Amino acid sequence: MCKDRISATALLILVGLWPFCESAFSFTTRPNASTTNALPTTGLLMQNADSGNIDRRSVFKKATIATASLTSSTIISPPSASATITSESNWPLWPALPVAPYNRRRTIKYQVAPGVFAFDQLIGIYYVHVPIRMSVVAVHQNNDNSKNRGLVVYAPIAPTKECLSLMQELIDEYGPVRDIILPSVAVEHKVNAGPFARAYPEANFYVTDRQYSFPLDLPNSFLGLPPWTKPLPRSSIGSDIWGGEEGEDAELEHEVLTVKPGIGSMFQDVALYHKPSETLLICDTVFAVTEEPPRILIEEEEYTRALLFHARDSKDEIVEDTPDNRRKGWRRIVLLFDFFFPGSGRGDLGFGPVLDALRTPLYKDGWGGWRPFSWGDDEVKDFEVFSAKGKPLVFPIVQIILSRGPDELQRWLRVVTSWKFQRVVPMHLDATISITPTEFEAAFLFLKSDYNQVRFCDEDVEFLRKAEEGPLNFSVYKTPLGTLRGETCGIQRPGK
């Protein structure tokens, strides 16, 4: 029990400092303003001109404070790359946020609605890999001569050569990039926004207006954002930001959600509504997930390793690559991603699993096969209750934040649910979600309750609840809704 509490506390410190950490590292590596082939460059990197691969020893030798801080949690180096990802997917600025897949950023593009496209890349730590998404919307396509005809980019991702090539396909068909929106203050979105904006210097670049850094509140220029950065108005109501030419109706509307959850932190999300396709874009507030792994994880052998790594039931097991094992790995990734210590699993972040991993440094999928989590018989039930076959919900960590600002959330929802959308595209996990405004509002269950109610199992939020009540109590303001609580599902943790 004592070891479990120590292990939990170690991770809780990271969870509780999330509002600080999301900006603490955002200003440590600033892209150079000059570009080569529309990509920023940095003196930290040594690149082989033939292969496009990076000399990682040189990177780490000269790494910034951010790199050193975040890579310290990586006990054993990730496996060497060996799949079909090419030099076009190389991202040389990965040390600004040194998480997987490091420099090997494959991009896939697909259409989610008429005139709306998703660009998926991957992000994660310890093979808990999930999609991070950018959306691109074509506007004013009925008038080829309109000065407003073109593309609006929402939540930019790493502008690799592959990503920019896929963007060029849309530019050739729909017109130039006219607007770019950074809809969040979170570092995983902010870190790539500046480099992406520099690739399209003629476009307007809008960011939510409460960008910040910790412990020093630095100006945008120190956060890697270019000089032409503009604050996004809190609302399109009363603004002509999306207005067309005379005789043209605005095709977009937006509303910014702003909640201050604690001292020195901030949360913002932008709801962007594309009227012609009846599509709503959301960054981090709402998501959905099913048992099927996302495309970005199954189209590359290198990325599929994450699914098989977590599908193991013993440390040295070599898991066969089958659809069922991919689903099994994905279930576990989702539960770890959302709860850190879900109710159907048991974590051991002590020295035992680390020492076991050090004995097998050549385990084929990397990390020495380090396996600090075990799973019980209720894992499938746990996931099925959480997923509810793709029903939308709020990230547990985000709900902790939003419950500090229920009045602001209700105001935002009144605006967003007045729009006539038929689908929602979040920037993480599954896309798209086919729902109406009423179904979207239902995801915020706690607003209609007298406590901080969640739709999923109470056993899953026990860890986060104890964190909020205990060592992380300092990091968030009090809320009359209390801590997260759900219905007890009878889920049992596996034995030690």
Side-chain angles (χ1 to χ4, degrees), residues 389-411:
K389 298 181 179 179
K391 189 175 180 180
L393 72 163
V394 180
F395 280 109
I397 290 287
V398 172
Q399 182 165 326
I400 291 174
I401 293 170
L402 296 182
S403 63
R404 270 66 193 173
D407 292 341
E408 164 66 3
L409 178 58
Q410 288 175 329
R411 180 206 65 78

Side-chain angles (χ1 to χ4, degrees), residues 361-384:
L362 300 181
Y363 180 79
K364 80 174 191 70
D365 288 330
W367 291 89
W370 184 47
R371 189 172 178 269
F373 297 95
S374 56
W375 297 90
D377 296 335
D378 292 326
E379 169 207 330
V380 174
K381 175 184 177 181
D382 193 2
F383 178 84
E384 287 177 346

Side-chain angles (χ1 to χ4, degrees), residues 26-311:
S26 62
F27 57 82
T28 52
T29 302
R30 182 184 175 191
N32 193 309
S34 62
T35 58
T36 302
N37 295 328
L39 285 176
T41 59
T42 175
L44 284 172
L45 306 172
M46 294 177 61
Q47 184 170 347
N48 182 305
D50 294 325
S51 66
N53 292 327
I54 290 189
D55 182 345
R56 295 192 181 186
R57 289 176 295 180
S58 174
V59 171
F60 280 105
K61 194 177 294 182
K62 302 180 182 180
T64 61
I65 294 174
T67 308
S69 300
L70 289 177
T71 53
S72 62
S73 63
T74 305
I75 300 171
I76 300 173
S77 298
S80 59
S82 62
T84 59
I85 299 174
T86 70
S87 61
E88 297 294 300
S89 303
N90 181 61
W91 179 233
L93 295 183
W94 67 270
L97 185 64
V99 295
Y102 308 99
N103 65 307
R104 298 175 64 76
R105 303 289 178 94
R106 174 73 194 278
T107 307
I108 61 171
K109 172 176 72 78
Y110 51 99
Q111 188 166 3
V112 296
V116 184
F117 299 85
F119 286 62
D120 284 9
Q121 290 181 354
L122 202 65
I123 191 169
I125 297 175
Y126 179 62
Y127 276 137
V128 181
H129 295 175
V130 298
I132 184 167
R133 183 171 297 117
M134 171 178 82
S135 293
V136 181
V137 176
V139 293
H140 298 292
Q141 296 300 304
N142 293 329
N143 182 359
D144 290 344
N145 297 318
S146 172
K147 67 178 183 180
N148 293 309
R149 181 179 182 271
L151 301 171
V152 177
V153 176
Y154 178 94
I157 55 175
T160 63
K161 290 182 179 179
E162 179 181 42
C163 176
L164 296 181
S165 177
L166 294 170
M167 279 295 301
Q168 190 60 47
E169 294 176 1
L170 297 185
I171 291 170
D172 292 342
E173 183 173 356
Y174 297 104
V177 175
R178 50 166 275 194
D179 300 294
I180 301 168
I181 302 170
L182 171 60
S184 172
V185 301
V187 66
E188 68 270 19
H189 297 289
K190 179 160 52 183
V191 72
N192 294 318
F196 193 96
R198 285 182 168 87
Y200 302 98
E202 300 303 316
N204 296 312
F205 179 45
Y206 298 105
V207 304
T208 53
D209 63 352
R210 298 301 297 273
Q211 300 295 323
Y212 72 101
S213 58
F214 184 89
L216 298 177
D217 193 11
L218 300 174
N220 283 345
S221 59
F222 283 80
L223 303 180
L225 305 179
W228 58 89
T229 301
K230 305 176 186 179
L232 181 72
R234 289 287 182 95
S235 176
S236 57
I237 299 173
S239 169
D240 62 353
I241 183 173
W242 310 122
E245 296 179 324
E246 186 175 351
E248 286 185 327
D249 293 330
E251 294 189 358
L252 298 174
E253 293 188 52
H254 81 270
E255 194 71 22
V256 179
L257 171 64
T258 303
V259 174
K260 185 174 178 58
I263 299 173
S265 62
M266 186 63 64
F267 177 88
Q268 288 189 297
D269 201 346
V270 176
L272 183 68
Y273 174 46
H274 182 233
K275 297 178 184 177
S277 67
E278 299 182 322
T279 300
L280 177 68
L281 306 182
I282 289 289
C283 191
D284 295 321
T285 304
V286 168
F287 75 103
V289 65
T290 65
E291 67 174 357
E292 295 299 328
R295 282 180 55 193
I296 190 70
L297 273 167
I298 63 176
E299 291 192 355
E300 291 290 343
E301 176 189 354
E302 182 174 334
Y303 289 175
T304 303
R305 287 180 190 158
L307 302 173
L308 304 182
F309 188 85
H310 284 289

